[in-house]
Amino acid sequence: KRTECSSPILFDKNNFIKEYFVEIFSWSVLSKKVLNDIFYIIKDECTTIVDPCCGNGFHMYLFRMYTRFCVVGIDINPEPCAWVDILAGVTIGKPHEPAFNCLEVLPQVCEMYEKKKGCTPKYMCLFLSSIDKDDLALELVNMFEGNIVVSIGNPRDIFIDTYKTLDEHFEIIKEYKIKEPWNTVDNIEIFRRINLK
């Protein structure tokens, strides 16, 4: 005897993307125009963008696909569906338990790029995207030896110490306010070191 089935469930890609936007893409959205602007502003001073807390690597994917920058994504957790290959859970050449901290890997990445590709830290851009805590962002800025820092999605009223240090040692060369899909506004700020190294 044949039984009647209930109506099929239709996949609604718009609601799916809305529901899982951050997991699929990122907290902060970069338009093609902003991406191009960032490229043209810093291209003469940087060859490589390093994102030490890249999550699924979506921003690094955009820079790799649409600009001429070399990109390095680092994250404490492996991402099963990352947009680019990221350094996660393994330090440079050595297994590490538990998953590594970006603070211990960043200097190794800079050293490796200098030895293998001739890219000194001076020509690297530190990309700080939606960092978890002010003290982590501050440590990354303090250990970074390059001249360009891009901050996106790190509110000044929460990242007080980080911005204090950035304002003391860097100047803002461009700032954007981006309205996100969930009606929040993110700042994107491009900083250049005041006393260039």
Side-chain angles (χ1 to χ4, degrees), residues 169-185:
H169 301 285
F170 293 78
E171 61 182 340
I172 293 179
I173 53 176
K174 186 74 174 185
E175 183 175 8
Y176 304 88
K177 294 205 180 293
I178 307 292
K179 187 172 181 184
E180 302 297 1
W182 30 84
N183 294 319
T184 59
V185 175

Side-chain angles (χ1 to χ4, degrees), residues 135-155:
D135 59 342
L136 173 58
L138 178 62
E139 284 192 72
L140 289 166
V141 169
N142 283 336
M143 73 186 329
F144 180 62
E145 296 180 12
N147 294 321
I148 300 291
V149 174
V150 175
S151 175
I152 175 171
N154 304 304

Side-chain angles (χ1 to χ4, degrees), residues 23-159:
E23 289 84 356
I24 297 170
F25 302 108
S26 173
W27 277 104
S28 301
V29 180
L30 289 175
S31 69
K32 184 82 168 21
K33 180 192 180 318
V34 169
L35 196 72
N36 284 337
D37 276 2
I38 294 172
F39 171 71
Y40 283 107
I41 290 168
I42 68 175
K43 70 182 176 64
D44 293 332
E45 299 172 74
C46 300
T47 59
T48 305
I49 297 180
V50 181
D51 185 348
C53 300
C54 73
N56 66 11
F58 183 66
H59 288 137
M60 293 303 94
Y61 168 80
L62 294 177
F63 279 107
R64 188 182 72 186
M65 290 299 294
Y66 299 107
T67 73
R68 294 194 303 265
F69 291 125
C70 179
V71 300
V72 181
I74 304 167
D75 203 80
I76 194 167
N77 295 310
E79 284 280 345
C81 298
W83 286 86
V84 295
D85 290 337
I86 60 175
L87 300 170
V90 175
T91 55
I92 308 302
K94 299 181 283 191
H96 189 282
E97 296 290 338
F100 62 71
N101 181 318
C102 60
L103 293 169
E104 70 183 52
V105 176
L106 184 60
Q108 295 177 49
V109 167
C110 293
E111 184 181 324
M112 180 185 76
Y113 267 74
E114 187 167 1
K115 282 182 180 173
K116 293 191 174 181
K117 301 191 181 230
C119 175
T120 64
K122 171 183 172 181
Y123 292 104
M124 291 187 170
C125 166
L126 179 64
F127 194 83
L128 300 175
S129 174
S130 302
I131 304 295
D132 287 339
K133 298 182 290 184
D134 186 20
D135 59 342
L136 173 58
L138 178 62
E139 284 192 72
L140 289 166
V141 169
N142 283 336
M143 73 186 329
F144 180 62
E145 296 180 12
N147 294 321
I148 300 291
V149 174
V150 175
S151 175
I152 175 171
N154 304 304
R156 277 187 175 263
D157 59 336
I158 296 173
F159 288 78

